[in-house]
Each structure stands twice: as C-alpha cells, then as structure tokens.
Amino acid sequence: MKFATKAIHAGQEPDPTTGAVMTPIYQTSTYAQKSPGDNKGYEYSRGTNPTRKALEDCFAALENAKHGLAFSSGLGATDAVMKLLLPGDEVITGDDLYGGSYRMFTRIFANFGIRFHFIDMSAPENILPYINDKTKLVWIETPTNPTMKIVDIEGVAKITKSKNVLLCVDNTFASPYLQNPMDLGADIVMHSATKYLGGHSDVVMGALMMNDDELYKKLWFIYNATGATPGPQDSFLVLRGIKTLHLRMKAHCENGRKVAEYLKKHPKIDKLYWPGFEDHPNHAVAKKQMRDFGGMISFTVKGATLEDTFKLSSRFKVFTLAESLGGVESLINHPATMTHGSIPKELREKVGVVDSLLRLSVGIEDIDDLLEDLEQALA
Ligand SMILES: *Cc1c(COP(=O)(O)O)cnc(C)c1O
C-alpha cells in the first residue's frame, strides 16, 4: 500500500458490530470476561484498547514497521525506551537534542546510573570512539531541533548493527511522510505525535515503532507495567489527524520552501537553518534520506539582543508565539527561553541556540499571508 492509502486505512476496518466507517472511541477501562482469562484479547485499557490498537497498527504502517505502540506523550515514549537500560549502561546521543529529551537523560536517567555521551553527530564515525562494551543505545534526532542539523541515519545504523547496539531515531521533525528510519536500519522509531502526526495542536501523544518481536514484547511490557498509555479519545484524534498527513506535509513543505527562500533574501537575517539549502552542511545526506525538507526553519536577526528578539517575536499577527510545532497553524518560538530553556546556556550556545534564535513551524495557511506577516514583523 502507498503512503496516502495507509494514512487513511491502516489498522482501520469498518466496525464489525455496526459497520461504522470511522473507528469508534471505545471509552471503557475494562472488558467483560466469560470466565477468568476467557476474553476477546482485551482485559484492561492500560494495556489494550481497540481505538488505541487501530492507531498503533496505523503508526506501524506509516513507518514500514511491524509493531507500533502509542504513549501519552512523546516523552512517555522516550522514557519507555530508556527503561530498556540498566545501571552502568551507556548511551551515545547528539549534542543538539530536543530540550525535554536532554532534561530526561541528564536529570532522571543519569541519576539511575546510566551514562550519556552528548556528541556532534554530523559524521557517523564520530560515534566510534565512544562505543565500548557498555554501550547499549544510540539515540539520534534528525533534523535536529531547532538548528536543523542532519544525521546520516544509514551511516550510523551500519555502525550500531556491527557493534550490536540499538539505534533509536526521534523522527518527529521529518514525520513518516518525509523520512522512514526503519528502512535505513534503525531498530526503533520514536515520534512526538503531538506534532505532525496529530497535526492540529489539539492532543499530546507519543509513538514507538519497531520490527523485532522480542523488542516489541519488552517495550509492551514496560508500557503496560509503567502505564504511560493514552486514552481512546486522544487515540481517535490522532487517527483522524493522520488521515490528512500526506496533504498537510505537502503544504508544509511548499510553504516552508517559500518562507526559507524569502528569509534567505531578507537583508536583516543573519543565520538561517533549513536543510533544503544547497549550502546546508549536510544537504546531500538530507537529500538522500528525506523526500522533501519540511516546514521547520530557524533564524537569527543581525545584531539582535535578547530584548530585540522578544520584541520581534511579539510582532507577528498570523504566526502565533507558542511552544510546539507541526500543527496546521504557523507558530513562532524562542528556543533559548521556551523549548530549550532547560539546557544550560553555555551548552545551548555551543550548538547555535543563542538568545537571538527564533524557530518557525510554517503552517498551511495561504503563503501570501505568511510572507506578509514576516515582512511587517521584520520591517
Ligand atoms: C515535542 C518533541 C518531543 C517531546 O514530545 P511530547 O509529545 O511533547 O512529550 C520529543 N522530540 C522532539 C523532536 C519534539 O519536538
């Protein structure tokens, strides 16, 4: 099945009892049993729920994976992956991660004796010196949030496979429409489904996709035993959101390209981050592993102080100043104080998250209105 068909149909059949075309919201915590253990595969909704199961099968199909699991947030999904590890284990990850992932690794799991190496992932072989017999997981994000660095997934996967280390890719920024890490050798794909998958800024959710049956069993055990699973109402919203994922992503990419090109010519713009530019340091890798370049763009204004940047971020009329990304509406964000506020200043500045950086999540409004808004705000 092709992507658009999977987005609309995967995991979903007309309801067997009524023929309802849309998956019903099974708003129930528990299921009747004939005698103890004699049930229809559903016992208690923390572990299994039919609405969530339809969504999980759809998640798996979108990433060309065998199994999918839905979590109550992207960080809930990340937390489950980390619980595969034991004290003494080591993780290699990027130095330019989503702030919440960094916070979880350094302030939760580091306290349980897991060691993290935050390194420059711009070349796959950079991970080699950090691999030893305690290394259990490589965690990558590409494109990175918010400086749009690109990691060569296939290159990293070749190394992790040869060293028997798990590779998990946070695919939130690209969405499965633009990039499928499982096809490039990843063991687990993670999403904040809050973003492009849900797509309407109305739900918080996470996802994991994997092929290996044993790994699925382990992750399902963690999911059920620790309980960060979403309810049927939210599962329904994401199922519905995904039905237009391909149409939305096409529009995000088209608008994103036009906004990036507009900013490139703007005399006030200093740094500009978007993987579609030919002079992006890893453009060739982006071109190889992504189908298009998406609607996430970050920039700095020449000579802007923190105060100037705050003022600019409040001048937009169509772009809304808010956390999050990937919804139909355009958002603007100040990473240093918002999404990446939990990363120490020296660390974030080292990777380009300076006080004057702003990040756009280009939505799918009319491009003329978006460009006009940028023009008036930057004037
Ligand atoms: C938002 C985000 C997360 C966290 O997901 P939540 O749904 O907010 O818990 C993880 N990674 C990236 C890249 C994100 O943008």
Side-chain angles (χ1 to χ4, degrees):
M1 239 188 249
K2 294 280 170 55
F3 191 87
T5 316
K6 290 194 286 193
I8 294 168
H9 294 289
Q12 299 155 76
E13 296 282 339
D15 183 52
T17 49
T18 62
V21 165
M22 188 56 202
T23 308
I25 302 167
Y26 284 91
Q27 194 73 51
T28 186
S29 60
T30 191
Y31 306 84
Q33 312 198 13
K34 279 215 172 71
S35 61
D38 181 4
N39 56 53
K40 297 187 157 77
Y42 292 96
E43 292 170 359
Y44 185 61
S45 280
R46 184 187 344 94
T48 40
N49 174 280
T51 315
R52 192 166 73 225
K53 178 72 175 126
L55 174 64
E56 292 176 332
D57 290 347
C58 186
F59 278 161
L62 294 180
E63 286 290 9
N64 303 325
K66 191 165 168 200
H67 306 287
L69 287 171
F71 290 83
S72 52
S73 68
L75 286 181
T78 302
D79 176 80
V81 175
M82 292 300 141
K83 285 172 178 156
L84 292 167
L85 306 176
L86 293 171
D89 287 349
E90 296 191 11
V91 179
I92 304 169
T93 186
D95 57 7
D96 185 21
L97 281 185
Y98 169 68
S101 307
Y102 177 83
R103 179 178 58 195
M104 182 194 297
F105 296 169
T106 54
R107 296 182 57 191
I108 305 281
F109 287 101
N111 293 338
F112 290 100
I114 293 165
R115 183 155 179 226
F116 293 87
H117 301 278
F118 298 94
I119 68 160
D120 167 18
M121 289 262 189
S122 57
E125 57 277 16
N126 292 1
I127 68 174
L128 282 170
Y130 295 90
I131 295 187
N132 59 49
D133 53 5
K134 293 184 190 137
T135 313
K136 294 288 150 54
L137 174 71
V138 172
W139 178 278
I140 62 184
E141 211 182 289
T142 181
T144 63
N145 177 5
T147 55
M148 310 304 292
K149 291 200 186 91
I150 300 290
V151 182
D152 179 349
I153 300 171
E154 199 170 19
V156 173
K158 274 196 191 119
I159 298 173
T160 53
K161 279 218 164 28
S162 74
K163 303 281 183 186
N164 213 12
V165 170
L166 279 179
L167 173 62
C168 182
V169 179
D170 179 342
N171 202 29
T172 301
F173 260 44
S175 90
Y177 178 79
L178 294 182
Q179 173 173 283
N180 298 117
M182 302 293 303
D183 295 347
L184 302 169
D187 299 294
I188 308 172
V189 173
M190 174 264 161
H191 279 277
S192 168
T194 314
K195 318 293 170 54
Y196 287 110
L197 289 169
H200 296 73
S201 307
D202 53 6
V203 64
V204 171
M205 188 173 301
L208 294 179
M209 296 79 163
M210 69 296 302
N211 280 333
D212 185 78
D213 295 338
E214 281 308 307
L215 189 56
Y216 170 68
K217 273 191 206 147
K218 279 188 199 163
L219 286 164
W220 187 85
F221 177 82
I222 293 168
Y223 148 114
N224 183 51
T226 62
T229 56
Q233 191 81 234
D234 283 356
S235 301
F236 170 86
L237 283 172
V238 176
L239 265 178
R240 181 160 92 162
I242 287 173
K243 288 182 191 289
T244 54
L245 179 62
H246 50 296
L247 298 176
R248 288 185 283 109
M249 288 312 298
K250 241 183 239 167
H252 284 295
C253 290
E254 241 169 65
N255 281 356
R257 177 179 299 279
K258 288 182 182 149
V259 167
E261 282 165 0
Y262 167 84
L263 291 173
K264 187 143 198 165
K265 288 195 208 109
H266 199 288
K268 288 196 177 164
I269 301 303
D270 186 7
K271 295 229 156 53
L272 181 57
Y273 303 100
W274 183 65
F277 290 129
E278 280 180 17
D279 58 1
H280 180 288
N282 260 339
H283 177 70
V285 179
K287 222 171 148 178
K288 184 180 70 160
Q289 69 190 16
M290 298 173 75
R291 294 181 192 92
D292 204 340
F293 304 107
M296 296 303 300
I297 300 166
S298 301
F299 65 93
T300 62
V301 168
K302 285 179 189 155
T305 62
L306 180 63
E307 203 193 341
D308 300 334
T309 309
F310 270 25
K311 275 194 193 138
L312 170 60
S313 70
S314 313
R315 276 204 291 271
F316 287 86
K317 298 193 169 108
V318 182
F319 283 84
T320 303
L321 179 63
E323 306 254 359
S324 201
L325 61 110
V328 290
E329 57 287 286
S330 292
L331 300 181
I332 184 160
N333 172 282
H334 183 246
T337 56
M338 296 167 72
T339 44
H340 291 62
S342 51
I343 301 182
K345 190 173 161 84
E346 322 78 69
L347 258 182
R348 66 171 166 78
E349 288 193 334
K350 216 176 78 188
V351 295
V353 187
V354 293
D355 286 346
S356 59
L357 187 78
L358 289 169
R359 186 190 80 185
L360 301 177
S361 171
V362 179
I364 63 172
E365 299 94 336
D366 193 286
I367 187 64
D368 293 346
D369 294 321
L370 298 181
L371 295 181
E372 202 172 289
D373 197 28
L374 284 161
E375 182 83 16
Q376 67 78 25
L378 286 164

